[in-house]
Amino acid sequence: MSIIATMAKHARLSVGGAAWASMACTRSQLSLDLTLGCGQTFRWRETGDGHWTGVMGGRVWTLTQTDDRLWYHVYNNKDAHKEVDNRKRKADGPAQQLNKSEKRRKVNIKEEENDVPVTVKKEGEEDMLVDYFQLNVNLEELYREWGLADPHFKHISNIFTGIRMLRQNPTECLFSFICTSNNHISRIQGMVDNLCRSLGKPLCELDGTTYYDFPSLSAIADDKVEALLRDLGFGYRARFLQQSAKQILEQHGPDWLQGLRRTPYLQARNSLRSLPGVGLKVADCACLMSLDKADAVPVDTHIWQIAKRDYKCAAGSTQKTLTDKVNRDIGDFFRQLWGPYAGWAQSVLFCADLKKFQKLKEMPSVKLEDDKKASLPLKKAKLKIKNEKLDQIEKPTSVCHKKAKLAPQD
C-alpha cells in the first residue's frame, strides 16, 4: 500500500479566503509589487498574480492586496517539514508507515480540501506588518511634499506610487547587501537563498520550495563558512561575510547591529564601514533599510546617472568612478532637496529607473497632466509661490556642490 502525502501549496486569496487576515491599507500607501520587487529585499518571491511569499520574523508569509486592504497568510512552521517527514517515513518499516498514516489521515484530508497549510493566527502579526512596512509613516503626505519641492519627482510619482522603505532585520539586511558588490538583483537573490539554505533553519515547504530563516551571526562567523560559500559561487564576498560576522561578535557582541538604530546616522554609517566588505553604499543601504536612518541616501551608478541626467547635478562630472566624495555630495544634494526622508524619495527614483518596471511608463499621460493642473493651486499656497506655474520651477543645478545641513559627525 503506497502512501501519498499532500504537498502544501502557496496560499491564494481566491482559494480558502477564510485562512487569510487583512488590515486597512490603500495602494497609495503601499504597493507590494514595487516595494518588494525594487531590490531593497531579496527574500520575497511573487508566487501568484500579486501574491508575494517570503520570510519575516522567523515565519513564512504570503501577502497580497486589494484596493484598500492588505491581506496576509502566515504559515504554521510546524507543518513545514513535510519533506523531512517524508524522508523519515521512507526510512521506516511498513508497519511503522501504516501506524503513522492512520494518525495523519485526518490532517491530510483537511489539507486536501484547502490545498493550503492551516494558518495559526497569533497576536502581534498585524503589528509586525506595521513595523516591517513602517505603515505608521504617511506615505501620501511624503509624496505630496516631495512633489512640491521637485517637479521631476512629481511626474515620476504619478506612476510609481506606494513605494515604501522596509524596516528589515539589521543582520539580514547588512549581510544581504554585502552580497551586492559588483552584482545584479537576480544573482544576489540566488546568493541570499544559498546563504539561508546552507546556514539557516528550515521553516516551511510550499509547492516543493523550502523556505529558510536567515542565519544567525554565529552561524555565518564559523571558520568553515568562507570555504563553504566559495564553493557556492560567492567568490571574494565569502570572506567578507564570514569576517564581518566574526568581527561583530568578537568586538561588539550579538546585539550591536540592533543598537545602531539608536545611534546618529553618520556615526552608525562609519561604524558599519569598519567591517570587511562594507563601503559607503552598503553602509547607507543598511542604515536606510534596517537602522531607521530615513535620510541615508545610498548612491550607486544608477543614482549617480539619475542625478546627472534628471537634475543636472555636476558632482563627479569629471570623474569616471564613484568616489566617496561624489557619493557624499550627491547624498547631500538630495537631502537638501527632499528633506529628512530623502532616502525614501531616492528609492522611488531608483525603482522607476529599473528595466523591469519600464512598461509602467507607457501608461497614458493624460491623467498625469490633469492631476498636475488640478494640484497646482494647492502647491502654490503651500510653497507661497505667487503667479508662477509649476513647470516654471527650475530644477536645482548649482546647489549640487553645497552641503546639506546635517548633524555634526561624531
Side-chain angles (χ1 to χ4, degrees):
M1 177 179 178
S2 62
I3 301 171
I4 302 176
T6 302
M7 178 179 291
K9 295 185 178 181
H10 291 97
R12 293 183 64 87
L13 186 59
S14 59
V15 180
W20 291 74
S22 71
M23 58 185 291
C25 183
T26 63
R27 292 182 187 273
S28 59
Q29 287 290 350
L30 170 65
S31 166
L32 288 177
D33 291 349
L34 296 177
T35 299
L36 298 179
C38 71
Q40 60 174 309
T41 175
F42 308 100
R43 299 281 277 146
W44 294 85
R45 299 291 185 275
E46 191 170 13
T47 52
D49 186 21
H51 289 63
W52 290 82
T53 302
V55 178
M56 177 180 63
R59 300 185 69 191
V60 181
W61 304 61
T62 292
L63 309 177
T64 191
Q65 62 186 144
T66 49
D67 287 342
D68 58 355
R69 308 291 296 180
L70 174 61
W71 295 82
Y72 58 96
H73 180 103
V74 189
Y75 301 90
N76 183 4
N77 291 346
K78 188 170 61 176
D79 294 335
H81 306 291
K82 288 180 178 289
E83 182 179 9
V84 176
D85 290 343
N86 290 343
R87 285 199 296 265
K88 289 172 64 178
R89 184 160 53 238
K90 290 178 181 178
D92 291 337
Q96 292 174 302
Q97 290 182 11
L98 288 174
N99 289 336
K100 291 181 179 180
S101 69
E102 291 297 328
K103 295 178 181 180
R104 291 186 176 132
R105 184 164 296 164
K106 293 183 180 180
V107 174
N108 285 345
I109 291 173
K110 184 174 290 187
E111 289 181 355
E112 286 174 353
E113 291 174 352
N114 296 302
D115 273 345
V116 171
V118 176
T119 294
V120 178
K121 293 183 175 65
K122 294 184 178 180
E123 291 184 8
E125 288 174 350
E126 185 170 316
D127 292 338
M128 290 178 68
L129 287 172
V130 170
D131 180 74
Y132 186 72
F133 287 104
Q134 304 195 72
L135 295 175
N136 58 314
V137 176
N138 189 334
L139 190 62
E140 289 181 347
E141 179 64 18
L142 286 178
Y143 266 59
R144 188 190 66 81
E145 292 176 2
W146 297 328
L148 291 175
D150 178 1
H152 176 67
F153 180 91
K154 174 59 180 175
H155 173 70
I156 291 295
S157 68
N158 278 292
I159 305 171
F160 294 88
T161 60
I163 301 174
R164 309 186 69 88
M165 294 312 306
L166 303 175
R167 190 174 192 252
Q168 301 178 59
N169 174 279
T171 298
E172 177 176 327
C173 183
L174 174 63
F175 284 84
S176 293
F177 275 94
I178 289 177
C179 297
T180 64
S181 176
N182 296 315
N183 224 338
H184 53 80
I185 291 178
S186 61
R187 187 161 181 256
I188 298 165
Q189 289 176 332
M191 285 186 173
V192 174
D193 283 347
N194 282 332
L195 182 65
C196 296
R197 187 179 298 111
S198 301
L199 303 174
K201 180 181 71 174
L203 298 175
C204 188
E205 183 183 355
L206 304 169
D207 290 315
T209 298
T210 302
Y211 292 85
Y212 297 83
D213 203 1
F214 199 86
S216 64
L217 282 171
S218 58
I220 303 173
D222 189 275
D223 290 336
K224 299 178 181 178
V225 164
E226 180 180 350
L228 170 66
L229 296 181
R230 283 188 179 275
D231 288 342
L232 292 173
F234 281 69
Y236 61 87
R237 304 170 194 85
R239 178 179 176 276
F240 290 157
L241 290 164
Q242 191 269 334
Q243 289 296 311
S244 288
K246 186 175 182 179
Q247 182 172 315
I248 290 172
L249 291 176
E250 291 182 348
Q251 298 184 13
H252 306 288
D255 299 325
W256 177 69
L257 285 175
Q258 196 81 15
L260 292 180
R261 285 180 167 172
R262 301 183 295 274
T263 302
Y265 163 47
L266 294 179
Q267 182 180 338
R269 184 177 70 179
N270 287 338
S271 296
L272 292 174
R273 292 196 68 191
S274 68
L275 300 172
V278 179
L280 268 178
K281 179 215 164 186
V282 170
D284 274 332
C285 285
C287 283
L288 174 64
M289 302 168 192
S290 68
L291 299 179
D292 302 335
K293 318 304 181 197
D295 57 337
V297 179
V299 177
D300 61 3
T301 55
H302 292 285
I303 296 301
W304 189 15
Q305 290 301 317
I306 289 171
K308 291 190 293 185
R309 181 189 69 217
D310 300 326
Y311 293 88
K312 311 305 178 188
C313 181
S317 58
T318 60
Q319 302 282 343
K320 293 185 178 180
T321 58
L322 186 59
T323 64
D324 283 4
K325 182 180 184 306
V326 173
N327 188 305
R328 285 190 292 266
D329 287 348
I330 293 175
D332 288 346
F333 168 69
F334 283 127
R335 277 184 282 271
Q336 191 175 61
L337 175 62
W338 294 323
Y341 279 82
W344 287 51
Q346 173 264 2
S347 71
V348 178
L349 296 191
F350 179 86
C351 182
D353 206 52
L354 292 175
K355 290 182 179 179
K356 64 189 291 186
F357 295 128
Q358 293 311 297
K359 288 185 177 180
L360 295 179
K361 296 180 179 179
E362 299 172 4
M363 297 169 59
S365 60
V366 176
K367 183 179 184 297
L368 304 184
E369 294 301 321
D370 289 344
D371 289 346
K372 186 184 295 183
K373 292 177 182 178
S375 59
L376 185 56
L378 177 60
K379 293 180 180 179
K380 288 182 178 180
K382 294 292 183 180
L383 289 176
K384 297 181 180 180
I385 298 174
K386 298 180 180 180
N387 302 319
E388 292 183 0
K389 293 183 178 180
L390 182 62
D391 58 6
Q392 292 175 329
I393 300 175
E394 296 181 355
K395 295 180 181 179
T397 54
S398 60
V399 297
C400 187
H401 66 281
K402 296 179 181 179
K403 299 292 182 183
K405 294 179 180 179
L406 297 174
Q409 185 171 332
D410 294 338

